[in-house]
Amino acid sequence: MCKIVAYMRISTEEERGKQKFTRQEQAIERWQKENNVKIADRRIYKDDASGESFDRPSWKELEDDINTGDTIIFKEISRFTRERDNGYIKYMDLLNNGVNLIFLDNPTLNTSYIKDLQCNADKMKEDNIIGGMTMEFIIKLLIVTELDRVEKERKTIVKRIVDGINASDKKSGRKEGQLDKMTPELEADIKKFLADRSIKQVDLMKKYNLSRNTLKKYVKIIANQK
């Protein structure tokens, strides 16, 4: 029997501390009510991880759980991935294996919609192979363009953070590049902050007892290492 599962992902400190999975949970709950469906708690998978790869604990469990004909519900495409190329490969792999994907905020990426377009392209090729091939290209472009958008959003966020630090950083007597208070935990949190706005500056300051200028200096150094 085909089953329905839900997947949620967060990666920001603001979400962890305040909203957590709330917005995603509410959206998926509304979908269940509107469609008279109940997703079992054990079929709701949640990851607190970056969307830059699919190397996420709950996602791996989900992939082990799903089969042909099953359906995965997401609030939006960015919960699925924030990486264009591997995201496209994963999307097509799931689609070609008969797994249905539903993105509540991005319905044109639902696999049912894409399959309808593919069906129309196949019919078109029977009479006009060039027209059919053009339609196939448009389908790929639709998927890749949306995945490219969410990837660029992530890169834009990182750039704005770094630019803001560079613009406001006040030089101190500390030697450039010195990390005398850096710990592996702080370095990991800063990398998350740069990658996905994972941690608010004020939260890092409180957690590690750092001044704003010291934290900005550390963030700048880590950002320039990339």
Side-chain angles (χ1 to χ4, degrees), residues 63-185:
E63 287 202 89
D64 288 338
D65 186 27
I66 57 173
N67 298 294
T68 298
D70 292 343
T71 298
I72 309 173
I73 310 295
F74 306 83
K75 182 181 185 297
E76 57 192 0
I77 186 66
S78 63
R79 302 304 95 194
F80 170 58
T81 183
R82 280 193 177 275
E83 206 281 325
R84 181 193 60 204
D85 296 338
N86 288 332
Y88 177 77
I89 292 171
K90 179 67 68 174
Y91 179 99
M92 294 305 298
D93 181 59
L94 291 167
L95 183 149
N96 292 331
N97 279 286
V99 177
N100 303 307
L101 307 178
I102 295 179
F103 303 96
L104 303 181
D105 293 352
N106 312 97
T108 57
L109 289 178
N110 291 349
T111 49
S112 59
Y113 182 78
I114 297 300
K115 287 177 182 178
D116 285 343
L117 294 181
Q118 290 178 328
C119 183
N120 291 335
D122 290 340
K123 292 179 180 178
M124 189 179 296
K125 286 169 68 174
E126 295 177 1
D127 298 320
N128 184 343
I129 189 170
I130 294 178
M133 292 174 66
T134 300
M135 185 66 177
E136 289 177 340
F137 173 78
I138 292 173
I139 296 169
K140 181 175 181 178
L141 184 64
L142 171 65
I143 301 170
V144 171
T145 297
E146 191 63 19
L147 292 173
D148 186 62
R149 177 186 65 80
V150 295
E151 180 176 331
K152 286 181 177 178
E153 282 181 352
R154 175 180 58 82
K155 292 180 179 179
T156 298
I157 290 170
V158 173
K159 184 177 185 301
R160 286 175 178 171
I161 293 171
V162 174
D163 288 348
I165 293 170
N166 290 335
S168 62
D169 188 28
K170 296 181 180 179
K171 298 296 182 179
S172 66
R174 188 183 302 278
K175 183 179 178 181
E176 184 70 23
Q178 187 174 346
L179 300 176
D180 57 310
K181 292 185 179 180
M182 181 66 70
T183 64
E185 183 182 11

